[in-house]
Amino acid sequence: MDNERERQLVVALVVVGVVLSFAYSLLIAGQILLWLSVVWTISLFYLLWRFVRAHERIADALENGE
């Protein structure tokens, strides 16, 4: 259950980041391409986080002999 809660927190933070970056790009900067670059960066970090978590689970399973 703890992993599920952690995942929900990360997804919520990503959604908040995307919404804030979209609002900034439209209201302050006035450029939609700026928003796409920010979303691309956030998405890249999210996928990197998932990659690291998957490797941690694999390592834990190998250490525990599962």
Side-chain angles (χ1 to χ4, degrees):
M1 182 68 177
D2 191 32
N3 286 337
E4 182 65 28
R5 187 169 187 170
E6 182 179 314
R7 183 171 184 211
Q8 289 175 349
L9 176 64
V10 170
V11 170
L13 290 174
V14 168
V15 168
V16 168
V18 168
V19 169
L20 288 176
S21 68
F22 183 70
Y24 173 79
S25 69
L26 288 180
L27 299 175
I28 306 298
Q31 298 176 354
I32 193 70
L33 290 179
L34 176 65
W35 179 72
L36 292 176
S37 66
V38 171
V39 170
W40 174 256
T41 305
I42 291 171
S43 300
L44 183 66
F45 280 118
Y46 175 70
L47 290 175
L48 180 64
W49 175 79
R50 287 188 59 192
F51 181 74
V52 169
R53 293 291 296 157
H55 279 280
E56 287 176 350
R57 277 181 280 181
I58 291 170
D60 285 342
L62 288 174
E63 285 180 355
N64 296 332
E66 294 178 5

